[in-house]
Amino acid sequence: MEGERSFSDVCGGRLVLQCRYYSPSCREFCVSCPRLSLRSVTAVTCSVWLAAYGLFILCENSMILSAAIFITLLGLLGYLHFVKIDQETLLIIDSVGIQMTSSYASGKESTNFIEMSKVKDVVINEAIYMQKVIYYLCILLKDPVEPHGISQVVPVFQSAKPRLDCLIEVYRSCQEILAHQQAASASP
Amino acid sequence: MVLKAFFPTCCASADSGLLVGRWVPEQNSAVVLAVLHFPFMPIHVKELLAQVQQASQVGVAVLGTWCHGWQEPNESLGPFLEGLGAIFPHEPWLQLCRERGGILWSCKVTRLQAPAVPDTPREDQVMLIFYDQRKVLLSQLHPPAVLPDHQAGDATASASGLAAVFDTVARSEVLFRSDCFDEGPVRLSHWQSEGVEASILVELAKWASGPVCLLLAGLLSLISAASTCRVFRMWPLSFLGSKLSTCEQLRCRLGHLTLVFSPQKAESPTQLMRKANTLVSVLLDVALGLALLSWLHGKNRIGQLADALIPVADHVAEELQHLLQWLMGVPAGLKMNRALDQVLGRFFLYHIHLWISYIHLMSPFIEHILWHVGLSACLGLTVALSLLSDIIALLTFHIYCFYVYGARLYCLKIYGLSSLWRLFRGKKWNVLRQRVDSCSYDLDQLFIGTLLFTILLFLLPTTALYYLVFTLLRLLVVAVQGLLHLLVDLINSLPLYSLGLRLCRPYRLAAGVKFCVLEHETGRPLRLLMQINPLPYSCVLHTYRLPSCGCHPKHSWGSLCRKLFFGELIYPWRQRGDKQD
Amino acid sequence: MACRRGGGHGQPTLATLSRVSPGSLSTCRTHTHNICMVSDFFYPNMGGVESHIYQLSQCLIERGHKVIIVTHAYGNRKGIRYLTKGLKVYYLPLKVMYNQSTATTLFHSLPLLRYIFVRERVTIIHSHSSFSAMAHDALFHAKTMGIQTVFTDHSLFGFADVSSVLTNKLLTVSLCDTNHIICVSYTSKENTVLRAALNPEIVSVIPNAVDPTDFTPDPFRRHDSVITIVVVSRLVYRKGTDLLSGIIPELCQKYQNLNFIIGGEGPKRIILEEVRERYQLHDRVRLLGALEHKDVRNVLVQGHIFLNTSLTEAFCMAIVEAASCGLQVVSTRVGGIPEVLPENLIILCEPSVKSLCEGLEKAIFQLNSGTLLTPENIHNIVKTFYTWRNVAERTEKVYDWVSMEAVLPMDKRLDRLISHCGPVTGYIFALLAVFDFVFLVFLRWMTPDSIIDVAVDATGPRGAWTHQCSHSEKGGENNEMSKTR
Amino acid sequence: MMCTQPITNTKEAKWQKVLYERQPFPDNYVDRRFLEELRKNIYARKYQYWAVVFESSVVVQQLCSVCVFVVIWWYMDEGLLAPHWLFGAGLASSLLGYVLFDFIDRGEGRKKSGRTRWADLKSALVFITFTYGFSPVLKTLTESVSTDTIYAMSVFMLLGHLIFFDYGANAAIVSSTLSLNMAIFASVCLASRLPRSLHAFIMVTFAIQIFALWPMLQKKLKACTPRSYVGVTLLFAFSAFGGLLSISAVGAILFALLLISISCLCPFYLIRLQLFKENIHGPWDEAEIKEDLSRFLS
């Protein structure tokens, strides 16, 4: 079953949450931000170039123009490759683990897989972020030495910060799978 | 709980047969290692498994049956496969099947011990996870898990989850030795290691490396023994050795070589990696050095360099002279005390004069010195670079002297002024309580204090200016040396081998795994593809960078600025107070 | 600290709350409030204000209100924490300037505070302690946002020197349009009314309280062979440590069976040590150093007489705690101390060594002649005086009154500032208020209230805590951890 | 707002200023006795006009000494005053003052402080030698610094000297050490502008005499023989006025006005403004400790 719903992030921008239920034991949630709009790119580029041209007028040195072009290109590449995250995916597989993939605008993907044996729980938590107080979904990792402690907190959907309603959506279905997992591990 | 069946991709197209693999009860997953084709003698199968088991402490067993779609599906096959379950009793018994289409997979799990519940809901919960046997076999998980002790057969119980799978595959390598072309009693299909000839060469290299290592290690031990003998312990030599960066570099290289050629073999993969990295960096270093050497000794470049060097030194000295002349005038319209200005200026000018004569004294020998220095490049580029930095330090010794004089003078002034300023305000520094107390001075104390304060205050700008100028010069030199040291450290500590490995064989260094869901239709088991998640370059650098051996200034920027302001000496000669702490 | 009061009061209070009727004692308890306590001083910092805020909040939660606390970050204790009964504490990452009071620019705290007020749907801001810059900021912003404000003043202030003149001016500005002010004693009320030029009608007197169950007498811990005088206070000038350094030798020379136990830390400790050195009193004067709040009782019960030498006090918690432990209290007659205990429990003296020594001798005489009440009696009398329940009820009434008032709109507020705080200051702060308002409008434009998530109530009528709904995302194990990025 | 409170039986119940009893009044009840302990101006002092004028003479003295110093410096800078003359006069006056210093209180002060004549001689020698030794340095010290800078600095320093001088008030900023140091600093600055090093030497010694020794003598005079003190003050003031008059009439007039305003008008205003004083006291004040507790530690 596929579900695609539209939410908004903490800054008011719109997000799209896609839920894919492959099987009762495997679900995928994919939060995708709007892609980089051509308008903003052109705006930034034009402003930089205009500034460069102004400098060029001041001191007749064509180095500035070439440097400006170079800088804008490099900046755009760097932005697309390292900064702009288009899509964040949370794949949760019963008794295998949780996998978080964030795919950049340039197509580069960085994946982080957490085994289910390490996962203690998935919770929604509050944090002070910049000048806001936001909710965020996070995965609590077991402390290997003592089972009730928490060794680490891994935030999910870190770049696109969805609002509470969206998080609750994800949280519920994660909890279903985790509950099923705990029941199964308890019974044998 | 879901049953996970790890299935090698290379067996997906194999003929029907038995699934040979290991059953991991902890997270109830079946790791299929190979497919054993029909026809076979059960007795042969059993002894093969026995061999494998005692060779590689892994509980290898027949997990179930595998039937591939393009034999005609006859009804007799079903019960026959059931019967096999009786011959090779295993719990649970998998029946993996791939239909004609090639994409329709089905898997059936039966538990003989539970006839009462023929199909409990967890029977149909099967997950097929495909993995690339070769990559999993060769890859090395990061961070490395606890080393499984090789006595117990089920040592992998300690290794959790996927580490267990990796470990199983890695340790059942003997199973993959058997080639599918040789006519054994049983035919297996699994990953085949290709390129046998290359492996022969590797064997030869391994066989040869032992004695070579022994020989070199002996030599190195001799050298190190020589370097640590008493002669070098005596005062001037040891002092120089600690100050000259060349000696540092040589010492460091010696350590590297001893590490590389140490006869005992590395037990853990990290140590192996470390050895490889060191070897590669040494080789690269020497190669660069030789290139430099060839370039230098071609077309009498040394001579040109030597001829160029003396004028440069002269020029530097002259520039300094001009600078001093400027300072002795009214530099930038600053109000300086003329008398003190003249004194300082003459003093420094005399120094420069000494320096120039010194340079001219040794000008005839420069070329030979340079020639010998150039030879040192065959020990590696880093040695040459550190020698260069030492030479720079020697050639700019006068700047260093100026800096020291200026700093001392300025320091004295600053401390005097600060204490006199306290007296001016009628306070004094209480040493016991570490704070400023108010205290009542006598009249004459006050008078003399204020007199000195006034004089020092009016003389401060002059000394401060001299100090500033020479500090800037000194900082310039230090920066150049720092750049050289940075370069040397880069060559020393870059883990080139690991980086190359990451570049060409990404799966060798695994940060973990990632799954992607293959297309899935209802009623069929879920199929996942397990891929190796390579280690990011930053982690590679962080994990494998070699310990750098350089003599850097250890203090931070803030403390550096503080020291500069208070006129304390900075790198490399420290003050006594710094030595203590 | 968080688990001092075990749960269990919660349900009965809620029950009464549910069947409260308009005709009953509490006149307008028909609706509950969302209260936000703001102060720079809160746990892990220890002191009177801190425990006041904590206990008051706990009792208000019992009575079914929603309470949150906003303070600044202490060390690595940042972000959001939950204490007993889901008392939610925001530790905001603001810079600390001078003894635990944040630096104020009057503006930089607005974005976070506004976000919190909006997401928690706060209806009443209750600031504590005139020394806390954050409290004043919160008052200022709350008025700009049109939220009712209450302020509790815990301290007295003179009128003599320049610094006090300035601080009083600031207090005038900050309180001139605050809806209601709470003082801890009548003296404090008079002081505050004079300092901030207030209408005494809007100043209520609600004393502090102590938890009588924490301070119970234990006569067997004290040795009746010797007389022990206990002093528990910070060793600073304002607490009269210099007087103490005069009293100790006087009495120790007069009475051979007299011991002193002095708990507390501070810059003046050194003079006590000098006195002890000089008069060879190491065996009779014990300096315990800094005390945890939970250890105070164990120290108090070891003594017969409690000595308080403060030079100024709004409401002295220490003497109430001591009396509750069954000690005879000897104290200076300063500030609000005469109002705190009846004459038969306290001996009041002038702030001078001579007078205090006389008072102590009187107490010792009574002790020897056995005319003192037994600790149990004293405890039973004091127990009824000050309870947090009572404080909470009275504070609640204040909230009810305030919630029925109207917050001054911007123009009226400016008029009031200009007319009330003198020409210069008035205009300056009116200008600042306008800036604040503009800044608020800007923030509202940047992040409209509509896109601020409403926080899940931990306490209050729909609190996830009060009806333990563990499936809601607040229940569960995440309530003691938080992160600040 | 408060009418919501049911105020019951207030007639018989009387409000008490205690916290430990539940009283049948609302929490914000304001009694008649509210603020009855408020006191005003209990520590206010009454001033006598002539007493204040007498006290103000210290300020006049200091102003005059600064003025005299500047005048003398100007004379030397102009070359109208030969250094030997100044040196002789200074030496004579200081010897005279020294004798006077012991004669006034017949040596009690000396006995109290336990300072021997040998110590005096020593410090005198120290002054002389150091000043003489450093005078060439002083001469060349500030030659590269522009004259205006020097003037500005010395004016600033002399003002500081006047501000921080110990006029007998116990305020926080009073620091006799600082004021003396500032005066010496100023004198050194000015001395370094004089034509020859001998001038500088003499200028600095004169500065010490007038800024360090003269106030000590003044204090003693004021303590012991107030009458003569007033006389001396008047004399000094007139001499300063005269000296200034010889340089510039306007400056002299202004200086005279300043002195008059300080010694006559300011006390008048002080006494006038006393009437408007309103100082609030009450139980909330921080009690100050009357008796000195140092006896327990000494």
Side-chain angles (χ1 to χ4, degrees), chain B residues 96-112:
Chain B
L96 201 56
C97 188
R98 183 183 180 195
E99 269 81 0
R100 179 170 286 96
I103 53 163
L104 296 180
W105 293 67
S106 72
C107 183
K108 186 144 150 288
V109 180
T110 51
R111 295 176 182 268
L112 310 176

Side-chain angles (χ1 to χ4, degrees), chain A residues 22-26 91 93-96 99 109 111-113 115 117-118 180-181 184-185 187-188, chain B residues 1-4 27 122 125 127 129 160-163 513-518 520 522 526 528 533:
Chain A
Y22 294 113
S23 81
S25 65
C26 168
L91 175 69
I93 311 168
D94 182 7
S95 81
V96 173
Q99 171 172 314
E109 283 201 346
T111 313
N112 178 15
F113 177 80
E115 285 182 42
S117 59
K118 292 206 188 74
H180 173 256
Q181 153 103 6
S185 56
S187 55
Chain B
M1 187 167 179
V2 183
L3 186 145
K4 300 182 286 293
Q27 62 261 28
R122 72 169 106 126
Q125 291 264 344
M127 202 180 291
I129 301 178
S160 73
L162 294 156
V513 297
K514 56 184 170 191
F515 292 87
C516 63
V517 182
L518 300 178
H520 162 258
T522 52
L526 180 73
L528 304 171
N533 193 9

Side-chain angles (χ1 to χ4, degrees), chain B residues 532-547:
Chain B
I532 305 289
N533 193 9
L535 206 64
Y537 285 99
S538 55
C539 295
V540 174
L541 276 180
H542 177 70
T543 324
Y544 290 114
R545 76 183 294 277
L546 304 168

Side-chain angles (χ1 to χ4, degrees), chain C residues 35-51:
Chain C
I35 302 143
C36 172
M37 305 265 182
V38 186
S39 177
D40 273 324
F41 310 110
F42 194 65
Y43 299 123
N45 199 19
M46 295 304 280
V49 182
E50 288 81 351
S51 60

Side-chain angles (χ1 to χ4, degrees), chain C residues 94-169:
Chain C
L94 300 175
K95 281 276 158 291
V96 172
M97 177 178 60
Y98 173 66
N99 59 18
Q100 291 306 338
S101 168
T102 51
T104 175
T105 61
L106 211 58
F107 295 117
H108 75 297
S109 58
L110 177 59
L112 261 176
L113 285 176
R114 175 241 172 186
Y115 208 97
I116 292 170
F117 294 161
V118 171
R119 80 194 291 272
E120 298 283 351
R121 297 287 185 260
V122 172
T123 56
I124 292 176
I125 308 292
H126 189 167
S127 303
H128 291 265
S129 163
S130 52
F131 289 119
S132 140
M134 192 187 217
H136 292 300
D137 279 10
L139 284 180
F140 197 70
H141 301 323
K143 290 165 204 161
T144 316
M145 293 171 65
I147 306 175
Q148 272 89 0
T149 48
V150 179
F151 178 79
T152 299
D153 197 351
H154 292 262
S155 50
L156 295 178
F157 227 105
F159 298 86
D161 52 352
V162 185
S163 69
S164 61
V165 170
L166 289 178
T167 43
N168 293 347
K169 200 63 182 172

Side-chain angles (χ1 to χ4, degrees), chain A residues 78-99:
Chain A
Y79 179 75
L80 288 180
H81 195 63
F82 297 111
V83 181
K84 178 82 170 73
I85 291 181
D86 268 350
Q87 208 176 38
E88 280 182 296
T89 316
L90 177 76
L91 175 69
I92 172 164
I93 311 168
D94 182 7
S95 81
V96 173
I98 304 179
Q99 171 172 314

Side-chain angles (χ1 to χ4, degrees), chain D residues 85-101:
Chain D
W85 284 108
L86 178 58
F87 186 60
L91 201 58
S93 54
S94 46
L95 281 177
L96 179 64
Y98 186 70
V99 173
L100 212 58
F101 190 80

Side-chain angles (χ1 to χ4, degrees), chain B residues 203 206-207 209-210 213-214 217 258-276:
Chain B
E203 286 305 316
K206 276 184 186 163
W207 178 78
S209 65
C213 281
L214 273 175
T258 37
L259 172 72
V260 170
F261 295 121
S262 63
Q264 79 272 20
K265 70 195 297 297
E267 55 270 11
S268 80
T270 51
Q271 280 184 349
L272 187 67
M273 201 64 93
R274 175 134 184 253
K275 269 191 173 185

